[in-house]
Amino acid sequence: MRTPGRKMAFGLLGALAACGGFNNVPLESGTVRGRIVGAEADVAMVSVLGQPELRAGVDPEGRFELANVPATTVELFVVASRTRAARSKVVAQGARVTDVGDIQPGPGAFITVRVSDGQGGVPSRAEVEVDGTVLDDIKVDATSGEVRVGPLPAGCYELEVKADDVKDVKEDVCVREGEELVRDIVMRSDDDGGGDDRDGGHGGRDGGSDDPDGGDDHP
């Protein structure tokens, strides 16, 4: 004969299950692994496009293991070397390891971004990032006002440029495999009515973090 206490315990467990009281997070994400052919281990990086915080490096053989990938169709953003990159779709499985095998990167595209204040000067502490990727906080040369961003696999992206005392600028750009592009970005001060601010302005650079490896062409 069951005691009232045992009945109450079973009833509580049932209520928790019905209301989603158990934490099912591990079932909602999984691990993706594979190998990047021709990877340069000191710069290679694999991330989830649109969620660059989900990233992993590679071992000397180019193998990677990316954890906490949402259990859905995602696109991997792969920087394989200083000149090669790839994008690869994968269906990640919850609480499982999905092996994508070998990823063969192609020649990456590069975008030379030229930043100016519209009066022949270069905005202070200007930085460029490719939204949704690991190519972020890339410093613009304070003398020339230029920076070369890449490698980028073929596709469309949003460039964001920030600097001190000027409005942020965003610009959509699409690149083909191995393409070299140039983008001129004019940044207006907060009190300037110029029309080059593509997103209405965020009131200038938000302080940004330092580029962890000091490089312009890779994460």
Side-chain angles (χ1 to χ4, degrees), residues 5 22 30 37 49 72 86 93 102 121-122 124 128 139-140 198 212:
F22 293 113
V37 178
L49 187 64
T72 184
Q93 303 294 319
D102 288 352
V122 179
S124 175
V128 178
K139 298 183 184 304
V140 174
R198 305 304 174 88

Side-chain angles (χ1 to χ4, degrees), residues 5 16 33 53 92 99 113 139 158 161 196 203 205:
L16 285 171
R33 70 184 178 193
E53 69 278 6
D99 195 325
V113 181
K139 298 183 184 304
E158 183 177 69
V161 186
D196 277 300
R205 185 174 179 276

Side-chain angles (χ1 to χ4, degrees), residues 19-115:
C19 297
F22 293 113
N23 185 356
N24 292 321
V25 170
L27 300 178
E28 297 172 356
S29 64
T31 298
V32 174
R33 70 184 178 193
R35 185 176 75 97
I36 304 172
V37 178
E40 295 177 2
D42 61 329
V43 299
M45 185 76 65
V46 181
S47 65
V48 174
L49 187 64
Q51 295 180 266
E53 69 278 6
L54 299 178
R55 63 178 71 183
V58 304
D59 69 12
E61 285 73 44
R63 296 186 181 88
F64 68 90
E65 192 163 289
L66 187 59
N68 301 317
V69 178
T72 184
T73 300
V74 298
E75 192 165 12
L76 300 182
F77 181 88
V78 178
V79 175
S81 69
R82 289 169 174 81
T83 60
R84 302 181 76 82
R87 281 166 63 165
S88 179
K89 287 188 177 180
V90 59
V91 180
Q93 303 294 319
R96 294 178 59 184
V97 175
T98 302
D99 195 325
V100 299
D102 288 352
I103 296 177
Q104 180 72 56
F110 287 86
I111 305 171
T112 297
V113 181
R114 297 172 177 168
V115 181

Side-chain angles (χ1 to χ4, degrees), residues 128-139:
V128 178
E129 69 177 67
V130 182
D131 283 354
T133 78
V134 295
L135 299 175
D136 57 4
D137 299 335
I138 305 171
K139 298 183 184 304

Side-chain angles (χ1 to χ4, degrees), residues 81-216:
S81 69
R82 289 169 174 81
T83 60
R84 302 181 76 82
R87 281 166 63 165
S88 179
K89 287 188 177 180
V90 59
V91 180
Q93 303 294 319
R96 294 178 59 184
V97 175
T98 302
D99 195 325
V100 299
D102 288 352
I103 296 177
Q104 180 72 56
F110 287 86
I111 305 171
T112 297
V113 181
R114 297 172 177 168
V115 181
S116 71
D117 60 8
Q119 300 176 347
V122 179
S124 175
R125 297 203 303 163
E127 294 179 350
V128 178
E129 69 177 67
V130 182
D131 283 354
T133 78
V134 295
L135 299 175
D136 57 4
D137 299 335
I138 305 171
K139 298 183 184 304
V140 174
D141 185 274
T143 301
S144 67
E146 293 188 2
V147 65
R148 189 168 180 255
V149 179
L152 287 163
C156 295
Y157 303 93
E158 183 177 69
L159 292 179
E160 183 171 8
V161 186
K162 300 179 181 181
D164 287 345
D165 304 319
V166 292
K167 296 179 181 180
D168 300 350
V169 175
K170 292 185 178 182
E171 181 170 312
D172 294 328
V173 59
C174 295
V175 296
R176 297 187 296 270
E177 186 175 280
E179 188 173 19
E180 291 275 356
L181 293 181
V182 176
R183 282 291 182 271
D184 292 315
I185 302 293
V186 178
M187 308 189 76
R188 307 294 185 182
S189 63
D190 289 341
D191 56 0
D192 188 337
D196 277 300
D197 181 23
R198 305 304 174 88
D199 65 347
H202 294 173
R205 185 174 179 276
D206 61 7
S209 60
D210 289 334
D211 184 14
D213 65 358
D216 287 345

